[in-house]
Amino acid sequence: MRYRGSVPPSRWYGETIGFWDEDALITWTSNIQGWMVHGAFEYSNKMQTIEVYTPNRDASGKFLGLNHEAVFYDPEALVEPVRIVRNYVKTSGFDQGDPYVFIDCVQTIFPVNGRSTPLTPGNVLEYEVPDMYGRPWAHIWEKYFEQGMEKPEGEDIFSFD
């Protein structure tokens, strides 16, 4: 595959490379599509993460689950890196229990006149497809709640330059 420049084009969830250091898996993710995830802080196309997965074991060495540490770096959206540490507990073996099935969000709340509105199956609505490469919530806010307002001209008062 050929790319323009030194990095491949962005993907929704980014591109990850990793390596093993004994029983620790260390990964680096970049080329993340900015502004994509609802329920999370706003982030830019410059977001990168470093993640470390290590086993949690009891005193006898039995595997109990995974420790996951993630550090989020984003020079445009974050004042400083964000660190999250969490533990996953092993609930069954590979041959037991149901597998976890990953799905994207099944939408039940839609923007109706700029407001989040729960809708049930069978409802019909006029829907403007959001620009997922932009900031869709900012567009909705400006369209429905900033009519007649004008953005200030000149220097950005929030710039730290």
Side-chain angles (χ1 to χ4, degrees):
M1 190 177 285
R2 300 180 81 78
Y3 305 110
R4 274 191 251 158
S6 60
V7 293
S10 69
R11 305 289 188 262
W12 288 117
Y13 299 113
E15 296 168 327
T16 303
I17 59 171
F19 64 91
W20 289 95
D21 182 8
E22 296 185 14
D23 60 358
L25 175 61
I26 302 165
T27 66
W28 169 55
T29 302
S30 65
N31 293 330
I32 298 167
Q33 173 62 49
W35 328 117
M36 177 55 186
V37 179
H38 65 274
F41 58 88
E42 188 171 310
Y43 55 90
S44 77
N45 290 331
K46 294 184 178 178
M47 167 111 104
Q48 297 184 41
T49 65
I50 300 291
E51 297 175 78
V52 180
Y53 298 85
T54 53
N56 286 331
R57 301 182 186 279
D58 66 13
S60 70
K62 178 182 174 189
F63 179 76
L64 301 175
L66 288 175
N67 174 272
H68 173 239
E69 177 179 357
V71 182
F72 299 82
Y73 303 89
D74 190 330
E76 289 186 1
L78 301 173
V79 174
E80 60 185 34
V82 173
R83 179 177 177 253
I84 298 173
V85 178
R86 57 191 173 169
N87 288 292
Y88 296 106
V89 177
K90 179 181 175 187
T91 57
S92 65
F94 288 119
D95 57 347
Q96 303 165 332
D98 293 326
Y100 175 77
V101 178
F102 176 80
I103 60 168
D104 281 323
C105 180
V106 176
Q107 189 168 352
T108 59
I109 300 174
F110 295 86
V112 177
N113 297 324
R115 303 208 183 270
S116 297
T117 307
L119 295 176
T120 55
N123 279 291
V124 177
L125 73 144
E126 186 173 319
Y127 182 72
E128 179 182 347
V129 178
D131 175 9
M132 296 310 288
Y133 290 100
R135 299 172 62 213
W137 47 88
H139 170 74
I140 289 171
W141 185 262
E142 290 169 358
K143 180 177 179 178
Y144 290 98
F145 303 108
E146 295 183 0
Q147 299 98 344
M149 297 177 75
E150 294 180 21
K151 293 183 179 182
E153 293 182 23
E155 183 176 291
D156 180 359
I157 63 172
F158 298 105
S159 175
F160 294 103
D161 294 333

Coordinates of all heavy atoms in Angstrom, one line a residue, residues 112-141:
V112 N -33.2 16.1 17.2 CA -34.5 16.6 16.7 C -34.5 18.1 17.1 O -34.6 18.4 18.3 CB -35.7 15.8 17.2 CG1 -37.0 16.5 16.7 CG2 -35.6 14.4 16.8
N113 N -34.4 19.0 16.1 CA -34.4 20.4 16.4 C -33.3 20.8 17.3 O -33.4 21.6 18.2 CB -35.7 20.9 16.9 CG -36.8 20.8 15.8 OD1 -36.6 20.9 14.6 ND2 -38.0 20.4 16.3
G114 N -32.1 20.1 17.2 CA -31.0 20.4 18.0 C -31.0 19.8 19.4 O -30.0 20.0 20.1
R115 N -32.0 19.0 19.7 CA -32.0 18.4 21.1 C -32.0 16.9 21.0 O -32.7 16.3 20.1 CB -33.3 18.9 21.8 CG -33.4 20.4 21.9 CD -34.2 20.8 23.1 NE -34.4 22.2 23.2 CZ -33.5 23.1 23.8 NH1 -32.4 22.6 24.3 NH2 -33.7 24.4 23.8
S116 N -31.3 16.3 21.9 CA -31.2 14.8 22.0 C -32.6 14.3 22.3 O -33.2 14.6 23.3 CB -30.2 14.4 23.0 OG -28.9 14.8 22.6
T117 N -33.2 13.5 21.4 CA -34.5 13.0 21.6 C -34.5 11.5 21.4 O -34.2 11.0 20.3 CB -35.4 13.6 20.5 OG1 -35.3 15.0 20.6 CG2 -36.9 13.2 20.7
P118 N -35.0 10.7 22.4 CA -35.1 9.3 22.3 C -36.3 8.9 21.3 O -37.3 9.5 21.5 CB -35.3 8.7 23.7 CG -35.6 9.9 24.5 CD -35.3 11.1 23.8
L119 N -36.0 8.1 20.3 CA -37.0 7.7 19.4 C -37.1 6.1 19.4 O -36.1 5.4 19.5 CB -36.7 8.2 18.0 CG -36.7 9.7 17.8 CD1 -36.3 10.1 16.4 CD2 -38.1 10.3 18.2
T120 N -38.3 5.6 19.2 CA -38.5 4.2 19.2 C -38.7 3.7 17.8 O -39.0 4.5 16.9 CB -39.8 3.8 20.0 OG1 -40.9 4.6 19.5 CG2 -39.6 4.2 21.5
P121 N -38.5 2.4 17.5 CA -38.7 1.9 16.2 C -40.0 2.3 15.6 O -41.1 2.3 16.3 CB -38.6 0.4 16.4 CG -37.7 0.2 17.6 CD -38.1 1.4 18.5
G122 N -40.0 2.6 14.3 CA -41.3 3.0 13.6 C -41.4 4.5 13.4 O -42.2 5.0 12.6
N123 N -40.7 5.3 14.2 CA -40.7 6.8 14.1 C -40.0 7.2 12.8 O -39.0 6.5 12.4 CB -40.0 7.5 15.3 CG -40.9 7.6 16.5 OD1 -41.9 8.4 16.4 ND2 -40.6 6.9 17.5
V124 N -40.5 8.2 12.1 CA -39.9 8.7 10.9 C -39.4 10.1 11.2 O -40.2 10.9 11.8 CB -40.9 8.7 9.7 CG1 -40.2 9.3 8.5 CG2 -41.3 7.3 9.5
L125 N -38.2 10.5 10.8 CA -37.7 11.8 11.1 C -36.8 12.3 9.9 O -36.3 11.4 9.2 CB -36.9 11.8 12.4 CG -35.5 11.2 12.4 CD1 -34.5 12.0 13.2 CD2 -35.5 9.8 12.9
E126 N -36.8 13.6 9.8 CA -35.9 14.2 8.8 C -34.5 14.2 9.5 O -34.4 14.7 10.6 CB -36.3 15.6 8.4 CG -35.4 16.1 7.3 CD -36.0 17.5 6.8 OE1 -37.2 17.6 6.7 OE2 -35.2 18.3 6.5
Y127 N -33.5 13.7 8.8 CA -32.2 13.6 9.5 C -31.1 14.1 8.6 O -31.0 13.8 7.4 CB -31.9 12.1 9.7 CG -30.6 11.7 10.5 CD1 -30.5 12.0 11.8 CD2 -29.6 11.1 9.8 CE1 -29.3 11.7 12.5 CE2 -28.4 10.8 10.5 CZ -28.3 11.1 11.8 OH -27.1 10.8 12.5
E128 N -30.3 15.0 9.2 CA -29.1 15.5 8.5 C -27.9 14.7 8.9 O -27.5 14.6 10.0 CB -28.8 17.0 8.9 CG -27.6 17.6 8.3 CD -27.4 19.0 8.7 OE1 -28.2 19.6 9.4 OE2 -26.2 19.5 8.5
V129 N -27.3 14.0 7.9 CA -26.2 13.2 8.1 C -25.0 14.0 8.6 O -24.6 15.0 7.9 CB -25.8 12.4 6.9 CG1 -24.5 11.5 7.1 CG2 -26.9 11.5 6.4
P130 N -24.4 13.8 9.8 CA -23.3 14.6 10.3 C -22.0 14.4 9.6 O -21.8 13.3 9.0 CB -23.2 14.2 11.8 CG -23.8 12.8 11.8 CD -24.8 12.7 10.7
D131 N -21.2 15.4 9.6 CA -19.9 15.3 9.0 C -19.0 14.7 10.1 O -18.5 15.4 11.0 CB -19.3 16.7 8.6 CG -17.9 16.7 8.2 OD1 -17.3 15.6 8.0 OD2 -17.3 17.7 8.0
M132 N -18.8 13.4 10.1 CA -18.0 12.7 11.1 C -16.5 13.1 11.1 O -15.8 12.8 12.1 CB -18.2 11.2 11.0 CG -19.6 10.8 11.3 SD -20.4 11.5 12.8 CE -19.5 10.6 14.0
Y133 N -16.1 13.8 10.1 CA -14.7 14.2 10.1 C -14.6 15.6 10.7 O -13.5 16.2 10.9 CB -14.1 14.2 8.7 CG -13.9 12.9 8.1 CD1 -14.8 12.3 7.2 CD2 -12.8 12.1 8.5 CE1 -14.6 11.0 6.7 CE2 -12.6 10.8 8.0 CZ -13.5 10.3 7.1 OH -13.3 9.0 6.7
G134 N -15.7 16.2 11.0 CA -15.7 17.5 11.6 C -16.1 17.4 13.1 O -15.7 16.4 13.7
R135 N -16.8 18.4 13.6 CA -17.3 18.3 14.9 C -18.8 18.4 14.9 O -19.4 19.5 15.0 CB -16.7 19.5 15.7 CG -15.1 19.4 15.8 CD -14.5 20.7 16.4 NE -14.9 20.8 17.7 CZ -15.1 22.0 18.3 NH1 -14.9 23.1 17.6 NH2 -15.5 22.1 19.6
P136 N -19.5 17.3 14.7 CA -20.9 17.3 14.5 C -21.7 18.0 15.6 O -22.7 18.7 15.3 CB -21.3 15.9 14.3 CG -20.2 15.1 14.9 CD -18.9 15.9 14.8
W137 N -21.4 17.9 16.8 CA -22.2 18.5 17.9 C -22.0 20.0 17.8 O -22.9 20.8 18.1 CB -21.8 18.0 19.3 CG -20.4 17.9 19.5 CD1 -19.5 18.8 20.0 CD2 -19.5 16.8 19.2 NE1 -18.2 18.4 20.1 CE2 -18.2 17.1 19.6 CE3 -19.7 15.5 18.7 CZ2 -17.1 16.3 19.4 CZ3 -18.6 14.6 18.6 CH2 -17.4 15.0 18.9
A138 N -20.8 20.5 17.4 CA -20.6 21.9 17.3 C -21.5 22.5 16.2 O -22.1 23.6 16.3 CB -19.1 22.2 17.0
H139 N -21.6 21.7 15.1 CA -22.4 22.2 14.0 C -23.9 22.3 14.4 O -24.6 23.2 14.1 CB -22.3 21.2 12.8 CG -23.3 21.4 11.7 ND1 -23.2 22.5 10.8 CD2 -24.4 20.7 11.4 CE1 -24.3 22.4 10.0 NE2 -25.0 21.3 10.3
I140 N -24.4 21.3 15.1 CA -25.8 21.2 15.6 C -26.0 22.4 16.5 O -27.0 23.1 16.5 CB -26.1 19.9 16.3 CG1 -26.2 18.8 15.2 CG2 -27.4 20.0 17.0 CD1 -26.3 17.4 15.8
W141 N -25.1 22.7 17.5 CA -25.2 23.8 18.4 C -25.3 25.1 17.7 O -26.2 25.9 18.0 CB -24.0 23.7 19.4 CG -24.2 24.8 20.5 CD1 -23.7 26.0 20.5 CD2 -25.0 24.7 21.6 NE1 -24.1 26.7 21.6 CE2 -24.9 25.9 22.3 CE3 -25.8 23.7 22.2 CZ2 -25.6 26.1 23.5 CZ3 -26.5 23.9 23.3 CH2 -26.4 25.1 24.0

